[in-house]
Amino acid sequence: MLALLRRKAQSPYIQATVVAIIVVFMFWGVGVNQGPGRNDVATVNGEPITYSLYRQTYDQILDRYRQQFGGSIPEALKEQLDLKKQVLHQLIHKILLQQGGDDMGIHISNLEIQKTIENMAVFQVNGSFDKGRYEKVLKNSGMTPSKFEQSLRSDILADKVDYYIKKFSGISPLEIDSRLNFHLSERQIDYVSLQSDDFTDQVEIQKEKLREYFRDNRENYRTEPRIKLQYLYFSGEKTGESVKITEKMIEDYYNRHQEDFHVKEKRRASHILLKTSAGQSGEDSKNAGEKHRQMKEILDQVKSGKDFSELARRYSEDKATAPQGGDLGYFTRGRMTKPFEEEVFGMKEGEISDIVQTRFGLHLIKLQDIVPARTKPLTEVKEDIEQILRRNESERVAFSRANKTYEKIIKAGSLAAYARKNNITPEETGFFSVDKAPEPLSANPAALKKVFQLNEGELSSIIEGDRGYFIIYLKKRQEPYIPELVKVKDQVRADMKR
C-alpha cells in the first residue's frame, strides 16, 4: 500500500486520498464532557475516555516525573507542564490511532500479545516468563490479566499505526546523498573528557550562598505526605497453609468450569506469498496479472511433485516465513485474515490449496497438521485446580475472620478498645510516605492507595490486599511541608555542589 502511494504520489486521486487521511487525523471529532457517561471526561467518535482511565494515566505520568525529580515536583513546574491537558491530549491521540488502526485493517494477534508479555522482564524469573509472577504483579497493580492484555493490545495497535503513518513519509534523493556522505565521512580528533564529579571537592559553599540557593529552590525539598498507622492484617497466604482441599472439591470445580479447560482446534500451515498492489490503475492490473501467472507456474510445480518448502524458500515474498519453508506454525480461528482462515479450516491434512487472494497478495497454502479441539482431562489440570481452590478458600476464610473482627471493633467502639478487650497488639508503624511503606503494605499498592485516602483518626473499612485483608486506623497524618534548612542541609549542599 505504501509503495503504491509513493509511486502514484502525483495522481490527483492519490493526493486527494492522502489529504483526506491527514484531515481525519487532524480533525477527528472530539467532544469534551459531552459523552453519555457521567464520569467521562471526553468522547472520541463516540468512544468515551472515562475518568478512571484519565486518573490512572495522570497518576502514571505524575509518578514518572516524580522519579525524574527525586520524589517531588515543584508546584511551579506542575503548572508549566499543564499535566491535565497533557494527559487528555495523550489519551485522545492514542484512541485516534487505535480507531485508525481498525479502519486500516491492522490486526494484533493473540500470539503477538503472548510473545510481548513473555519478553517483559517484570514477568520473568531467572530470565524466563513465570505465570505466577505475572498474575501476582497484575494483582498488586489492581489489574486482571484480561484487562492488562486488552490495554497492551491497544498500545501495540497505536504504536503500529503511528509507525505506518511515519513510514509513509518520502525521502528525497538529496536527503539520501546527504546522509550517505555523513556516514562515509571521517574525522580525526583529539579530546579530553571532564567529569563534573571529579571537581566536587574543589567547590566551596559559603553559608550565605547556601541559604540563597535553598530560598530559590525551596519547592524541591517539599516533603511527601506521611502517615502513621495501627492495623490488623488477615493473611490469606498463611490461612491457605491450613486449608484442606478434597478430591470432591476438585472434581466439582472441574465439572462446573469445563469451558475453562477447553482447548480450541489448531492447525499448522505453510504458505507461499506473492505480494500484489491494491490499486486500480493499468500498471497495477498488469502487475497483479503477472503475479497471478507466476503463482500459477509455482502451483504447477507443486502439482508435479516439487517440494513445497523448497518452493517457498525460493519464491515466497513473506520474508518472515520464507527461510522456514513458509511455515506459519500452529494457529486457531481468529488469528489469520478471513479468506486465508476459511481456506485453511476447510482443508484436509496434507492438502494444498488453489490460489487464494487476500489483502496481502496471492497465497498457496499447504495444511501440515490438525490438532483437534479437546477438553483437558482432570488428571492434567488437577494441580492447577487445587491451587485455585486453595487460594479462593484461603481468601474466603481470611475475609470471614476480618469481617467478624471488624464487627467486634465496631461494637467495642475503637480498634484500641477491641485490642485491650481481646489482649492483642495491633501492628503499628512510624511515619512513612507512599514510596517507603513497610511490609506487608508495600506489597499491596492497591490497598496502600486507599490507606492514604483516610483522614486522621479514621478507621478504614475492610481493605482487600494481595491474598489478604487489612483493617487500618490512621493515627496521624503529616501533610507535605518545606523543612527548615538545618534539616536538609546536607542534601541542599550536595545539590548546590552538583
Side-chain angles (χ1 to χ4, degrees):
M1 180 64 179
L2 296 175
L4 166 67
L5 289 172
R6 290 191 180 123
R7 261 198 332 270
K8 300 300 181 182
Q10 301 306 313
S11 162
Y13 172 76
I14 293 298
Q15 290 175 348
T17 302
V18 173
V19 170
I21 292 172
I22 294 172
V23 169
V24 168
F25 273 87
M26 289 178 61
F27 300 106
W28 218 326
V30 177
V32 179
N33 291 331
Q34 295 175 359
R38 297 181 62 186
N39 293 323
D40 298 343
V41 297
T43 57
V44 184
N45 288 330
E47 184 173 343
I49 298 176
T50 64
Y51 177 76
S52 60
L53 175 62
Y54 172 83
R55 186 74 240 180
Q56 180 185 5
T57 308
Y58 181 90
D59 290 342
Q60 289 172 350
I61 292 178
L62 188 61
D63 285 343
R64 283 201 294 269
Y65 279 119
R66 280 178 179 152
Q67 292 171 11
Q68 292 174 12
F69 287 89
S72 62
I73 306 175
E75 290 299 323
L77 179 59
K78 278 187 185 179
E79 293 181 9
Q80 283 184 331
L81 292 172
D82 197 359
L83 284 181
K84 293 180 179 179
K85 185 180 291 185
Q86 186 183 140
V87 171
L88 183 59
H89 285 177
Q90 179 177 318
L91 288 171
I92 291 172
H93 178 75
K94 181 178 177 181
I95 290 177
L96 288 176
L97 288 175
Q98 291 165 5
Q99 293 174 346
D102 292 337
D103 289 343
M104 293 163 70
I106 296 176
H107 176 69
I108 309 302
S109 69
N110 293 336
L111 181 61
E112 188 171 358
I113 299 294
Q114 178 185 330
K115 292 296 183 185
T116 301
I117 292 173
E118 289 176 351
N119 290 329
M120 297 174 78
V122 69
F123 301 135
Q124 294 180 351
V125 175
N126 297 325
S128 299
F129 174 76
D130 185 270
K131 185 179 179 183
R133 180 171 178 81
Y134 173 62
E135 293 174 347
K136 185 171 183 178
V137 170
L138 292 188
K139 188 165 186 179
N140 286 345
S141 304
M143 294 187 74
T144 62
S146 60
K147 284 186 178 179
F148 174 72
E149 289 162 18
Q150 182 181 354
S151 174
L152 183 61
R153 186 184 300 274
S154 298
D155 290 342
I156 295 174
L157 177 60
D159 288 344
K160 280 195 173 184
V161 175
D162 187 54
Y163 167 78
Y164 283 121
I165 291 173
K166 290 175 180 176
K167 189 176 179 181
F168 174 72
S169 303
I171 301 174
S172 69
L174 185 62
E175 289 175 300
I176 295 174
D177 290 341
S178 175
R179 175 59 64 177
L180 185 62
N181 289 335
F182 173 79
H183 282 294
L184 294 178
S185 65
E186 294 183 355
R187 299 288 187 272
Q188 184 174 357
I189 63 172
D190 295 322
Y191 71 95
V192 60
S193 175
L194 305 178
Q195 303 297 323
S196 59
D197 289 346
D198 296 338
F199 298 90
T200 304
D201 294 340
Q202 300 181 30
V203 178
E204 295 183 4
I205 305 295
Q206 299 176 352
K207 289 183 179 180
E208 183 56 38
K209 290 293 184 182
L210 190 68
R211 284 193 289 269
E212 287 181 12
Y213 182 87
F214 179 68
R215 186 172 62 247
D216 294 340
N217 297 275
R218 288 165 57 86
E219 285 295 334
N220 292 346
Y221 304 97
R222 183 179 291 277
T223 64
E224 292 292 321
R226 302 201 308 162
I227 56 176
K228 182 187 288 188
L229 308 174
Q230 282 185 332
Y231 68 90
L232 299 175
Y233 179 50
F234 303 85
S235 171
E237 196 164 356
K238 290 183 179 179
T239 304
E241 297 171 1
S242 59
V243 169
K244 293 183 179 180
I245 305 299
T246 66
E247 293 292 328
K248 187 175 186 310
M249 292 169 67
I250 294 173
E251 290 176 10
D252 288 346
Y253 184 93
Y254 177 77
N255 292 329
R256 291 197 312 269
H257 297 84
Q258 286 282 302
E259 68 280 0
D260 294 346
F261 309 112
H262 181 73
V263 180
K264 293 180 179 179
E265 176 189 333
K266 58 183 179 181
R267 299 191 170 205
R268 182 179 182 181
S270 300
H271 79 143
I272 298 171
L273 170 68
L274 296 184
K275 297 178 181 179
T276 57
S277 302
Q280 300 298 320
S281 68
E283 183 181 337
D284 291 324
S285 297
K286 182 179 178 182
N287 171 267
E290 180 60 36
K291 287 296 179 83
H292 201 279
R293 282 191 293 274
Q294 183 181 353
M295 186 63 92
K296 184 69 170 59
E297 292 174 1
I298 297 172
L299 178 58
D300 290 340
Q301 292 186 58
V302 172
K303 289 179 178 179
S304 69
K306 292 288 182 68
D307 184 72
F308 190 93
S309 298
E310 287 301 321
L311 293 172
R313 292 187 184 94
R314 186 184 306 174
Y315 296 112
S316 181
E317 294 176 356
D318 182 349
K319 293 181 180 179
T321 65
Q324 289 78 46
D327 188 6
L328 292 162
Y330 286 96
F331 52 88
T332 58
R333 285 188 180 273
R335 287 276 312 284
M336 298 296 181
T337 188
K338 197 167 184 178
F340 191 97
E341 177 183 287
E342 288 178 348
E343 185 69 28
V344 169
F345 281 86
M347 295 169 65
K348 296 178 181 178
E349 188 174 327
E351 189 176 355
I352 295 171
S353 73
D354 201 348
I355 298 173
V356 178
Q357 173 82 56
T358 73
R359 59 190 175 91
F360 298 106
L362 303 174
H363 307 257
L364 287 182
I365 307 168
K366 181 176 182 179
L367 183 59
Q368 305 281 11
D369 188 27
I370 299 175
V371 179
R374 71 185 183 100
T375 298
K376 294 180 182 178
L378 178 57
T379 53
E380 187 177 334
V381 297
K382 184 178 179 180
E383 289 185 7
D384 293 337
I385 294 175
E386 184 175 354
Q387 288 183 5
I388 293 171
L389 289 174
R390 189 174 300 281
R391 182 173 61 246
N392 292 346
E393 185 65 13
S394 62
E395 289 184 0
R396 186 193 66 77
V397 173
F399 178 75
S400 177
R401 291 176 180 173
N403 195 44
K404 290 177 181 177
T405 301
Y406 191 76
E407 290 176 359
K408 292 177 182 179
I409 292 172
I410 298 301
K411 288 179 181 179
S414 68
L415 177 59
Y418 166 80
R420 285 194 301 270
K421 184 176 180 181
N422 292 273
N423 195 29
I424 65 170
T425 303
E427 298 290 337
E428 186 162 342
T429 72
F431 278 107
F432 65 89
S433 57
V434 69
D435 58 338
K436 294 182 179 179
E439 287 282 3
L441 281 166
S442 60
N444 291 270
L448 189 61
K449 186 175 182 180
K450 292 180 180 178
V451 170
F452 268 83
Q453 294 171 352
L454 294 174
N455 296 315
E456 187 173 311
E458 183 179 357
L459 179 72
S460 75
S461 57
I462 298 173
I463 298 177
E464 183 178 2
D466 177 31
R467 296 201 62 193
Y469 298 88
F470 294 88
I471 298 174
I472 294 174
Y473 173 71
L474 198 148
K475 288 187 66 176
K476 196 77 175 174
R477 173 180 286 277
Q478 197 176 74
E479 297 299 338
Y481 69 96
I482 299 174
E484 296 178 2
L485 174 58
V486 66
K487 292 185 177 180
V488 290
K489 189 174 182 179
D490 291 342
Q491 180 63 46
V492 176
R493 184 182 297 276
D495 292 344
M496 188 174 179
K497 277 194 172 187
R498 214 168 29 247

